Amino acid sequence: EYPLHSLVSGFTSSLRTSSGETFLPASVDLASGLHKPHQKPAILRKISAAQQLSASEVVTHLGQTVVLASDTLSVLLHCEAVGNPKPTISWAKNGEEVKYNDRMLLQPDDSLQILAPVEADVGFYACNASNALGSDSVSIAVTLAGKPLIKASRGTVINTDLPAVTVDIGTTVKTIQRANVTIRCQVAGVPEAKVTWFKDKVKLSSMHHLHDGLLLIANVSLSDQGLYSCKATNPRGEVTESSQLLVLEPPRPLPYLEDLHKVLSSAGITTCSVLASPSGTQMTVSPGCSTLIGCAVDGHPTPNITWLYSGKPLSLPHHLLAAGQILQILNISDALDGEFSCLAQNEAGSLTQKTSLAVHEYQWSVDKLMACSASCGNKGVQMPHLRCLLDGAEVNISHCKEKHKPVLHPIACNRRDCPSRFV
């Protein structure tokens, strides 16, 4: 009466021995009152071939496929579990908690009884046993003679760090690249059903298949995205369930931002630009000018970008361009001493890139004089020498061309008689 790993009407995935299944060692005598060791829950499997029920009252165990007859008045789904502390038993149908009523009864021994079963009662019933050490779960398929039944889930699984993930068909899967994704299609039905897999309505070759109605998508990449369908077919009909696979790529920095160059070329030569980076960048700007800061990131799905200044939402005058990837700061002031950052986020992760602006004013300087135009006589003059300074250091004069140029006045020099000479 323990797991035989045998085929049960195409419904085999739930029949494998659970990793939590641990039976008490033979040396422990429970009847003698000795201390029982702590033990994870383990549901006892009792497996037989799929059975067509004709009796008015049916008692069955987990691991079977039950095909109801028109004269079936009652079905009792029996669930036995061992474990210490004693496991708590709960029931679910097609992944949702069973709602007990006058037809769906929970018996004192934790068995589930269905009175006067109807077509709406068809589905996969799971017995869940849990205690402080872990849990175990086994399913039983209850169906009518006719087209197959597929155990489906309607949830969404997001995997951002695990190397492998396994889901039931019907689940939407969002996973990082290079993970292994297994989609499980549990099928019940009499006559036994044949399972066929499709991707975007195109039949998959047998090289993709594993045993027991499992589909393995190994080393997932962006090209594996799509709609995967499991079709179960027998002489009475067919049924199909599908799972959407979406491949996630966390935000990553790019070395360039093409949109930034386009905006810069249209904005004019007085606008300066810088790319933010994870390690932080810096740019020197002049007060009153306009600055473009680019957040060059990529990811799948496309990351949402939030701009911050000194870790807080922006409050200074600005524009967002290129779907938020470019921040335009208007009329730079010399009070900007904080750090600008862009936070890129999607379902796979987040990335922060930073930059800071050093606001310095270029200034004209007239602190030097050119050489005197004459060494003696009455005509010698000196003109002041103009320099462009930034923080006291001389820079290219082109940086000061927007600044008001001071008026230069000649200064007399060497105004003395020249020495006498023969002419």
Side-chain angles (χ1 to χ4, degrees):
E1 292 185 340
Y2 292 105
L4 305 177
H5 304 278
S6 58
L7 182 67
V8 181
S9 185
F11 172 48
T12 59
S13 296
S14 69
L15 306 185
R16 297 192 304 275
T17 304
S18 166
S19 59
E21 188 166 311
T22 307
F23 295 98
L24 295 178
S27 60
V28 178
D29 185 3
L30 299 183
S32 66
L34 295 178
H35 177 70
K36 293 189 294 183
H38 290 289
Q39 175 192 21
K40 291 181 181 179
I43 297 175
L44 306 183
R45 278 73 162 169
K46 299 186 178 183
I47 300 176
S48 62
Q51 51 180 313
Q52 178 85 36
L53 301 180
S54 56
S56 59
E57 294 185 5
V58 177
V59 177
T60 187
H61 293 82
L62 299 177
Q64 297 177 331
T65 295
V66 178
V67 185
L68 300 176
S70 58
D71 58 348
T72 303
L73 301 180
S74 169
V75 174
L76 186 69
L77 306 182
H78 191 59
C79 181
E80 278 185 77
V82 296
N84 183 34
K86 182 181 178 181
T88 300
I89 301 295
S90 63
W91 288 90
K93 177 190 173 187
N94 296 333
E96 297 184 1
E97 184 180 352
V98 170
K99 303 247 186 315
Y100 303 111
N101 52 41
D102 54 354
R103 281 200 323 105
M104 199 77 64
L105 307 175
L106 182 64
Q107 298 298 334
D109 64 351
D110 293 320
S111 297
L112 179 66
Q113 185 174 23
I114 307 172
L115 299 178
V118 295
E119 186 173 354
D121 297 324
V122 166
F124 285 85
Y125 291 82
C127 173
N128 304 306
S130 61
N131 66 13
L133 301 180
S135 62
D136 191 15
S137 180
V138 180
S139 296
I140 180 171
V142 176
T143 184
L144 300 172
K147 67 180 184 179
L149 182 67
I150 294 179
K151 182 183 180 183
S153 174
R154 301 301 175 213
T156 299
V157 172
I158 300 177
N159 173 45
T160 59
D161 53 6
L162 298 177
V165 60
T166 300
V167 299
D168 284 324
I169 192 73
T171 304
T172 297
V173 184
K174 299 180 180 181
T175 185
I176 52 176
Q177 296 191 71
R178 292 176 292 280
N180 293 333
V181 175
T182 300
I183 303 177
R184 181 171 47 211
C185 183
Q186 298 182 358
V187 177
V190 175
E192 184 176 335
K194 176 186 176 183
V195 172
T196 310
W197 286 94
F198 299 84
K199 180 191 176 187
D200 297 328
K201 299 184 179 181
V202 177
K203 184 178 179 181
L204 292 175
S205 62
S206 58
M207 63 178 291
H208 291 86
H209 295 197
L210 287 179
H211 58 80
D212 294 349
L214 300 177
L215 174 70
L216 172 65
I217 308 164
N219 198 24
V220 165
S221 65
L222 288 173
S223 62
D224 292 314
Q225 285 194 136
L227 185 70
Y228 290 84
S229 302
C230 167
K231 183 171 75 171
T233 308
N234 70 8
R236 301 289 184 91
E238 65 180 42
V239 63
T240 301
E241 292 286 352
S242 302
S243 281
Q244 188 77 36
L245 175 63
L246 301 172
V247 179
L248 304 177
E249 186 177 50
R252 58 187 179 91
L254 295 176
Y256 65 92
L257 183 57
E258 187 175 341
D259 287 337
L260 183 61
H261 301 300
K262 292 179 182 177
V263 174
L264 188 62
S265 61
S266 62
I269 58 174
T270 59
T271 301
C272 47
S273 68
V274 65
L275 276 180
S277 78
S279 59
T281 56
Q282 186 170 13
M283 183 175 65
T284 300
V285 296
S286 298
C289 72
S290 175
T291 300
L292 300 175
I293 304 175
C295 187
V297 294
D298 191 17
H300 193 273
T302 301
N304 293 320
I305 296 177
T306 304
W307 286 94
L308 306 170
Y309 176 62
S310 296
K312 298 178 181 178
L314 286 173
S315 59
L316 64 162
H318 68 279
H319 292 314
L320 294 180
L321 311 173
Q325 284 190 293
I326 300 175
L327 171 66
Q328 183 180 28
I329 307 296
L330 307 173
N331 193 18
I332 294 290
S333 73
D334 56 6
L336 287 179
D337 56 357
E339 185 177 65
F340 291 91
S341 58
C342 65
L343 175 62
Q345 295 174 298
N346 65 12
E347 290 174 295
S350 63
L351 173 70
T352 298
Q353 301 200 100
K354 303 166 288 187
T355 192
S356 56
L357 304 181
V359 184
H360 298 300
E361 190 167 3
Y362 296 100
Q363 295 177 328
W364 288 111
S365 171
V366 290
D367 55 351
K368 283 187 178 181
L369 295 174
M370 294 183 180
C372 191
S373 61
S375 59
C376 61
N378 222 9
K379 298 179 180 179
V381 293
Q382 277 182 310
M383 294 297 294
H385 176 59
L386 273 180
R387 295 190 304 157
C388 183
L389 300 183
L390 178 63
D391 281 356
E394 187 171 2
V395 296
N396 191 294
I397 199 170
S398 63
H399 291 297
C400 288
K401 62 185 176 180
E402 300 297 327
K403 298 292 181 179
H404 177 69
K405 188 178 291 188
V407 178
L408 302 180
H409 299 286
I411 300 173
C413 59
N414 294 339
R415 295 296 178 95
R416 61 181 181 274
D417 290 341
C418 290
S420 57
R421 61 191 176 96
F422 287 104
V423 178

